[in-house]
Structures are given as structure tokens and as C-alpha cells.
Amino acid sequence: MSTNLEARAWIEVRADALRNNFALIRETVGPDVRVLPMVKANAYGLGVAEVVSVLEPDAPWAYGVATVAEGVQIRELGVDRPIVVCSPVSDAELDSAGERRLQLSISSLDALTALAATAQRRDTKAFVHIEVDTGMGRSGFDWRTASEWLPAVVEGTREDVEWVACFTHLHSADESDASVREQWDRLSRVLGALDAPPADLLVHVLNSAGVFRTPEYAHAVVRPGIFLYGGGIGDAQPDPLAVVSVRARVVHVRDVVSGTTLGYGATYRADGPQRWATLAIGYGDGLPRSLGNRGTALVHGRFVQIIGRISMDVTVVDITRVPDVELGDVATLLGRDGGEEITVDALAHLAGTISYEVLTGLTRRLPRVWMDDGS
Ligand SMILES: *Cc1c(COP(=O)(O)O)cnc(C)c1O
């Protein structure tokens, strides 16, 4: 890797904004609700080691991941808190999960049986979060058939396995409060069917959108992700502080005559004399290729148009109306420059995707440069 992180293109990540967004979640749910920040997929692409070190002083209850490998990585950072794997895992990973004391989500009786056998063989206790499918459909015990599986879960969590929590995942919290109510009603029907719930059984339902739009369903634990990293929650407030910026250097400037074509497929043709700037960033860095001839960038605090198809390594913008652009100037593909801003949600919308995919799609070629303005 280049020794100068800002030589070509890079990501700036604001620790103070991340901290601020975490505090907003805390304020909204109050002191009695535990926060389980989701740090899966390398903390949505930002860098899990750095994100965990920023959040550690605020003492979240636990960290949420999607895979055993992600949990192991956090344990290896020296974190002693609970780590919850929120997606189903294969039996091949049960030993590794047990060794690192990862708490697992369980979606079937087979999975519970396999885990109990592993715990018994290892002579340790396993800790589980029972997932209930209330409409998401991708994992979890079916809420409609609780009478078939619930007694077996109770039975299967008496000895080698401890039942820590029951949870469900929302499918439309960013769009519809009514859907949250419906999913909660389904989960609560399952909980109501328990004769004697474990005394300290935790219940968790809310993702980022749920935390702010329907905080009345916070219960014991909330599982926010995208809001921490600067992604919005549908058309609702509050907006998070922006955490991520993507910058790239101008590496070539040229004046072109009318008719000059640009990029693969020659999909853009100058309709008069223009000035173009080539930016040192492309889809190989995770800039969505769908932004070709659609997206924008900021140069000298002004919006400029992305023209032509985005290449693997470079992207061209039309700077005809921006004076004095020079080699080495910094363009902003995501984030603020002067008084203007490209939010991750605006960029995602233009690219035909969502903030989550934009952030997790930023590749390793972009160095993450952490900045901290605050306390
Ligand atoms: C990713 C994830 C979350 C976080 O969702 P956001 O919309 O990013 O807040 C919560 N729960 C589960 C099970 C997840 O997989």
C-alpha cells in the first residue's frame, strides 16, 4: 500500500460522529435498554477494530455480528463483552464459536440439538438467542407453529444451553410503523405461550429505523446498525451525523473539443468545448458503476456531473464550470465539501441501491483514515 494514505483515493471516517450517533440511540431508548451495536461485515465496511475501539468507552452491552469469523475477530481484539452472532451458523463452526464464547442465534431444533451436543462435549455452557420469524422469512422459528417447537426449546435449554434472549428481525421498519406492530404482536404471542419464561429472558426487536420510529418496542435490547455509520432511517428523523466521506485526487485534466467521446462504450460525447477531470477512483474501489452518467461529485465545493461509464480505477467529471481545478485537487464522491454535501443515502438512491450496500461495497483498496474532532 502507498505510504501516503491520501495519495490517490481514500475514506475519511469520523469517530466523533460515530460516537454522537451511538449517543443519540442511547438517549432515545433510555438508560434501561441495552444496546447491541451491529458491527457485522467489518462494521458496515468502516473497519471493525476501529469501530469497536471507538464504542468501547461507551460500554455497549454486546456486539452483534453475522458470522462466527466476525465474532472471533472481535474476541481477538480483547473484547470481553457478549458477542452475538445474529445469523444461523453451520454445525462446522460450533466448536470455534464455543471456544470464543460467542452467543448464537438459533432458528431450528436441529441447530439447538447440535449446539447442546457440542457444549456437552466441550464441557462448557452455550448461550443462545432464539430467533422467531415474524415475517422476514429468512431464518427463525415460525411464529405460527410455536406449540410445535416452543416446548422443545424450553426442554433443550435446561442444562448445557442457556436461553439468553428471544428476538425477531423487522422487515419494513424504515417504511411502516404498522408492520412493526404486527411483527411485535406475532412475537408477543409466542412469548405469551411460555408457561414460565426464564426469569431474565431478554427480548430484542428494533434495528436502527425501529429505534427512532417505534421506540415503544425497545424492550430489553436494541440492535442498531446503519444509523451508527451515518445511514438514514427512511424518510424519518433524526438524521445521523455523517460518518463516512470518500475522496479522490484529480489525476488528469484536459480540455476537449466538441464530439470527444468518453469511456467504455463511448456513452458520453462532448456537445461543445468542455473541461474534464479524471479522478483516481473507480468501481474497483467500490464506487458504484451505476453512477456512470448519473452520479455527482463535489469539486471546490461545487456539484459536478460524473460523465461516461465509471472504469475500474478512474472516473471522469465535467469541470467546465469550475474554475482553476488543478492536478492533485481533492474531489468528494461522498460527504461534505464546503457548503454542499452528498449523503450516503443520496448517493445510494442515484446508484439504485441502499446505503448499506454502498458502505459495505467500499473495497480494501481505499485506506480508511480515521479522524476525531471531539472529546
Ligand atoms: C444488520 C442487522 C441489524 C441492524 O439493522 P440496521 O438496519 O442496520 O440498523 C439488526 N438486526 C439484525 C438481525 C441484523 O442482521
Side-chain angles (χ1 to χ4, degrees):
M1 193 193 285
S2 163
T3 48
N4 178 359
L5 296 179
E6 300 177 8
R8 176 182 167 268
W10 65 97
I11 301 176
E12 291 168 8
V13 196
R14 302 223 65 99
D16 48 307
L18 173 61
R19 223 179 277 123
N20 174 91
N21 294 341
F22 184 81
L24 269 174
I25 290 165
R26 270 257 163 91
E27 261 169 49
T28 302
V29 297
D32 299 332
V33 173
R34 308 177 195 204
V35 183
L36 167 55
M38 297 301 297
V39 296
K40 58 192 174 181
N42 198 26
Y44 290 48
L46 277 60
V48 69
E50 291 83 356
V51 165
V52 164
S53 79
V54 169
L55 294 179
E56 268 299 289
D58 290 325
W61 169 62
Y63 292 102
V65 294
T67 72
V68 169
E70 290 170 353
V72 168
Q73 187 187 358
I74 295 174
R75 199 54 95 212
E76 282 174 354
L77 296 170
V79 168
D80 208 36
R81 309 177 186 288
I83 296 171
V84 186
V85 182
C86 291
S87 297
V89 306
S90 82
D91 289 356
E93 298 190 285
L94 294 180
D95 271 308
S96 166
E99 202 173 309
R100 303 304 177 132
R101 288 178 295 113
L102 306 184
Q103 303 190 354
L104 297 183
S105 302
I106 296 293
S107 290
S108 74
L109 293 176
D110 284 349
L112 186 59
T113 304
L115 180 62
T118 304
Q120 189 169 44
R121 176 166 46 72
R122 298 179 48 81
D123 199 20
T124 55
K125 227 172 163 62
F127 299 86
V128 298
H129 294 235
I130 297 297
E131 179 169 5
V132 180
D133 172 26
T134 59
M136 188 66 166
R138 64 186 187 183
S139 52
F141 289 92
D142 193 315
W143 65 277
R144 290 162 295 205
T145 58
S147 62
E148 292 166 23
W149 55 264
L150 196 54
V153 166
V154 172
E155 195 53 42
T157 53
R158 287 196 199 285
E159 285 172 12
D160 303 305
V161 180
E162 184 173 325
W163 187 359
V164 176
C166 206
F167 79 103
T168 197
H169 192 46
L170 301 172
H171 55 69
S172 306
D174 56 337
E175 290 172 355
S176 153
D177 298 357
S179 74
V180 177
R181 214 164 301 125
E182 178 179 66
Q183 287 191 265
W184 163 250
D185 286 345
R186 291 171 174 179
L187 178 62
S188 72
R189 240 174 287 174
V190 172
L191 296 170
L194 277 171
D195 291 334
D200 38 12
L201 182 68
L202 302 171
V203 174
H204 48 99
V205 175
L206 299 184
N207 55 7
S208 298
V211 162
F212 292 101
R213 298 172 64 127
T214 52
E216 63 272 27
Y217 298 111
H219 302 288
V221 181
V222 294
R223 304 188 309 271
I226 193 69
F227 188 88
L228 291 166
Y229 312 115
I233 47 170
D235 55 10
Q237 293 294 315
D239 288 326
L241 289 191
V243 176
V244 176
S245 305
V246 176
R247 320 267 189 205
R249 296 278 176 193
V250 173
V251 289
H252 186 64
V253 175
R254 69 186 287 224
D255 292 303
V256 302
V257 297
S258 186
T260 305
T261 60
L262 174 60
Y264 288 110
T267 61
Y268 184 85
R269 179 182 295 265
D271 59 5
Q274 293 182 341
R275 175 168 288 190
W276 295 349
T278 301
L279 311 181
I281 188 169
Y283 66 77
D285 301 286
L287 187 65
R289 186 169 171 278
S290 52
L291 292 176
N293 286 316
R294 284 179 64 78
T296 57
L298 296 167
V299 175
H300 292 189
R302 295 169 63 166
F303 277 100
V304 296
Q305 208 57 45
I306 292 174
I307 53 178
R309 285 190 187 150
I310 290 175
S311 300
M312 189 185 296
D313 314 303
V314 293
T315 295
V316 176
V317 291
D318 177 4
I319 54 164
T320 308
R321 285 193 293 277
V322 184
D324 305 324
V325 176
E326 293 179 14
L327 293 186
D329 284 357
V330 176
T332 297
L333 286 304
L334 167 61
R336 183 171 285 285
D337 178 13
E340 303 289 358
E341 182 177 18
I342 298 171
T343 67
V344 65
D345 288 285
L347 184 153
H349 182 74
L350 272 181
T353 181
I354 54 175
S355 55
Y356 305 68
E357 193 182 32
V358 170
L359 293 180
T360 58
L362 297 169
T363 67
R364 292 168 49 119
R365 191 159 72 176
L366 293 175
R368 275 67 172 160
V369 179
W370 281 78
M371 313 179 110
D372 198 343
D373 259 2
S375 46

